[in-house]
Amino acid sequence: VLAASDAHDHITLHGSSGGDARVQHVPKSVIGQILRQRMRGVLAQAGEQVAASGVGHVIGARLVLTGGSCQLLGLADFAAGELDRPVRIGFPPVLPGLPGGMAGASFACLAGVVMASLESGGIGPVPMRSNGEERGYVGRVEQWLRESF
């Protein structure tokens, strides 16, 4: 979403190039153009992946955006226009023990995968080492989930 003032409002960027620290003042409109182009590319790839997967008819017409970048102002409307489908921002279901900081769209996909795995019985006992320590990636994820929730 661009505002008329974006061409006049500037964002100050601090960075270094070749060891030479410099400050740049960039119009918001330039940042908006960069973001639109990047998101257009990401959404095109997502659309191609859905088409190539052969499950487009299963997922229905509506798409749900999750993750931190889905919180960009106006992204759902932009995505709907790019993909010619209704789009909404996904939020995680209410999970007991879920910290408040994880109750936003940034963690919706993770919460949904955990819920689906629990409902389908996909998460089961993890073999233990002789010292009682869980092993493997799944074991570490399960330990993290137990400690976090």
Side-chain angles (χ1 to χ4, degrees), residues 82-93:
E82 289 295 310
L83 299 172
D84 198 29
R85 291 173 173 235
V87 174
R88 71 175 179 88
I89 305 299
F91 290 91

Side-chain angles (χ1 to χ4, degrees), residues 1-10 27-30 32-33 36 73:
V1 175
L2 290 178
S5 62
D6 287 349
H8 305 292
D9 291 343
H10 286 72
K28 279 186 176 180
S29 60
V30 171
Q33 291 169 353
R36 269 193 311 285
L73 184 63

Side-chain angles (χ1 to χ4, degrees), residues 35-124:
L35 286 173
R36 269 193 311 285
Q37 286 301 102
R38 297 285 184 180
M39 291 312 301
R40 189 170 281 130
V42 168
L43 292 169
Q45 287 180 340
E48 290 168 6
Q49 289 295 317
V50 168
S53 71
V55 297
H57 65 285
V58 176
I59 63 172
R62 189 175 202 165
L63 293 178
V64 179
L65 301 177
T66 62
S69 62
C70 78
Q71 297 174 68
L72 287 170
L73 184 63
L75 181 60
D77 292 333
F78 179 77
E82 289 295 310
L83 299 172
D84 198 29
R85 291 173 173 235
V87 174
R88 71 175 179 88
I89 305 299
F91 290 91
V94 177
L95 296 173
L98 185 68
M102 298 178 86
S106 296
F107 293 94
C109 187
L110 173 65
V113 168
V114 169
M115 294 281 299
S117 294
L118 291 172
E119 289 170 1
S120 70
I123 295 178

